[in-house]
Amino acid sequence: MSAKNGLTRSATSIREIKRHPSNRLPFLLPCLYPRRTAVTDYFRSKERNFLDPSDPNFLKRKPATEPETPKTPPPRGDLAPSSIFDEGKPQEQPAAAEPTTPAVSKRDPAVLAAALDPNPVARQRWQRKMIIRDVRNRGQLTKAQRLARIERESLCKSPFFKTSIKKLYPLARQIAGKPIEEAIIQMRFSKKRVARDVKKHLEYARDEAIVKRGMGLGVVKPDESQAAENEGSNAKTKAQPNQEKKANWPGMVVEDKKGKRRFVNDTSSIYVDEAWVGRGTYGGAYDYRARGGVNFMRPPETSITVRLKEEATRIRLMDEREQKRQKKKVWVALPDRPVTAQRQYCLW
């Protein structure tokens, strides 16, 4: 009975497939799609229009495409009017025949904020913290804050050099306490190989201190136009004698913290206050030996950091040491002290 039921079911399924072709399984149907090739696609495309050689438009030239308008280059930047490098820049004379360049558009504060103020929430949090600190201190500044307002300094760290701390540390001690120009000369004539890298770093640190911190500029003389505008102001008349006094300052002998004396004729000249080294990462190299042996070497990397200050700071430190030396009392072997913790009568 089961075999007969299976045959009847298969017969009914075949009849249903014949009546409704959509019920046929797709993988059992034969593939009747035409084969596509590049040649057939080329001739079957309806978008291609072939011209007949007898057509009068056959020999006519196709219209030339419109030339693209040349893109105007972006406006070139320039130095600020108050830049110290504006004096040595050659002044270009505009030609009369050439058309005038379009005016440079103003800077967009929204675009500059991406670089100048990348995280405004953190900036506002920091400003709130500083205001709270000032309120707690009742507006009184510490000694470090007062000195930071009147004295300049610059901290510059070098990239890692392929040398060790043992080799770089003597050079750091050699340049510490010297004027920046003298330190550069010491590194120029040094026999150490890493001295060339230290010399380049000192030159970079000097330029960065001049541009970013305004160090080493000497006495800034006012322009004639500014002097004419502020001729009637009392502040100008009071500040001008001080500038003349600084300009005519003969100089003095300054003693550093190590006891060495130097002659200083400009209080704004730069010197190396501190110089220290820092350990970096270790590299990797192979040292091939005899009989197929290989040693793995770890060459070290070291950086040097310099702190630059002006001679005015060294003069202040010298005066503080001198005042402390004067306040110090003279040492006496048996000083006169009042007798305490004793009784005038015996206890027995």
Side-chain angles (χ1 to χ4, degrees):
M1 294 292 292
S2 60
K4 290 182 180 181
N5 293 335
L7 291 176
T8 53
R9 289 177 183 176
S10 62
T12 54
S13 60
I14 292 172
R15 291 172 186 171
E16 290 178 359
I17 291 173
K18 288 182 179 180
R19 292 177 183 177
H20 304 283
S22 59
N23 296 335
R24 300 174 183 176
L25 299 177
F27 57 87
L28 296 177
L29 297 177
C31 183
L32 302 177
Y33 300 104
R35 184 178 180 184
R36 295 183 59 183
T37 59
V39 179
T40 56
D41 292 345
Y42 182 80
F43 287 103
R44 288 179 182 177
S45 61
K46 299 180 181 180
E47 298 179 358
R48 298 181 179 275
N49 297 324
F50 298 96
L51 294 177
D52 189 7
S54 60
D55 191 359
N57 298 327
F58 182 76
L59 299 177
K60 288 186 178 181
R61 295 183 179 179
K62 297 181 180 179
T65 58
E66 297 180 358
E68 297 181 357
T69 56
K71 297 182 180 179
T72 57
R76 186 177 180 180
D78 199 357
L79 297 174
S82 61
S83 177
I84 62 175
F85 300 105
D86 195 13
E87 298 178 357
K89 186 185 67 172
Q91 298 180 357
E92 299 179 358
Q93 297 180 358
E98 296 181 358
T100 58
T101 57
V104 180
S105 59
K106 296 182 180 181
R107 295 182 178 181
D108 189 3
V111 178
L112 297 177
L116 300 179
D117 193 11
N119 194 350
V121 177
R123 175 184 55 79
Q124 294 174 3
R125 191 187 304 116
W126 179 84
Q127 290 178 350
R128 180 176 177 272
K129 182 180 178 181
M130 293 297 106
I131 293 173
I132 293 174
R133 180 184 297 179
D134 293 342
V135 172
R136 286 178 178 175
N137 298 334
R138 298 180 181 180
Q140 297 180 0
L141 301 178
T142 61
K143 183 180 179 181
Q145 292 175 347
R146 283 188 277 105
L147 294 177
R149 291 188 175 188
I150 60 177
E151 296 179 359
R152 298 183 179 95
E153 70 174 50
S154 177
L155 186 69
C156 187
K157 182 181 178 181
S158 70
F160 289 109
F161 304 141
K162 292 185 178 181
T163 184
S164 62
I165 292 181
K166 184 178 180 181
K167 297 177 182 178
L168 190 60
Y169 176 70
L171 297 182
R173 292 192 59 186
Q174 183 179 356
I175 64 177
K178 290 183 173 60
I180 187 66
E181 300 298 337
E182 184 178 347
I184 292 174
I185 293 174
Q186 292 289 333
M187 295 296 101
R188 177 183 176 186
F189 294 100
S190 178
K191 296 181 181 180
K192 305 294 183 180
R193 184 183 63 178
V194 73
R196 294 176 293 179
D197 299 331
V198 177
K199 172 180 171 293
K200 292 180 181 179
H201 177 62
L202 288 176
E203 293 175 350
Y204 174 80
R206 177 195 59 188
D207 298 342
E208 185 181 24
I210 293 173
V211 175
K212 289 188 176 181
R213 304 296 180 183
M215 302 169 60
L217 299 179
V219 179
V220 180
K221 298 181 180 181
D223 299 336
E224 296 180 359
S225 59
Q226 295 180 0
E229 292 177 0
N230 303 329
E231 186 176 0
S233 61
N234 297 329
K236 188 65 180 178
T237 56
K238 292 181 180 179
Q240 192 169 0
N242 296 332
Q243 291 181 357
E244 293 178 357
K245 185 178 179 180
K246 290 181 180 179
N248 301 328
W249 186 57
M252 61 181 299
V253 178
V254 182
E255 181 181 357
D256 58 4
K257 55 187 177 182
K258 293 183 179 179
K260 189 173 182 179
R261 299 186 177 183
R262 304 175 186 274
F263 180 77
V264 178
N265 55 2
D266 185 8
T267 57
S268 66
S269 56
I270 306 174
Y271 76 97
V272 182
D273 182 62
E274 294 177 293
W276 64 89
V277 297
R279 189 187 304 275
T281 58
Y282 287 90
Y286 295 98
D287 181 21
Y288 298 97
R289 309 297 295 177
R291 297 184 179 182
V294 179
N295 297 335
F296 184 73
M297 300 184 297
R298 298 181 64 194
E301 293 182 353
T302 315
S303 64
I304 184 171
T305 308
V306 293
R307 189 192 301 274
L308 304 182
K309 293 185 179 182
E310 293 183 340
E311 291 291 345
T313 304
R314 184 142 57 179
I315 294 173
R316 178 185 59 81
L317 294 175
M318 184 189 68
D319 295 341
E320 290 179 357
R321 286 194 300 269
E322 185 63 25
Q323 292 176 5
K324 185 178 181 180
R325 192 180 299 115
Q326 292 177 1
K327 292 180 180 179
K328 188 177 181 180
K329 296 181 180 180
V330 181
W331 181 81
V332 182
L334 297 174
D336 297 335
R337 297 192 184 95
V339 178
T340 59
Q342 294 185 5
R343 299 180 182 181
Q344 56 181 343
Y345 304 105
C346 298
L347 298 177
W348 60 82

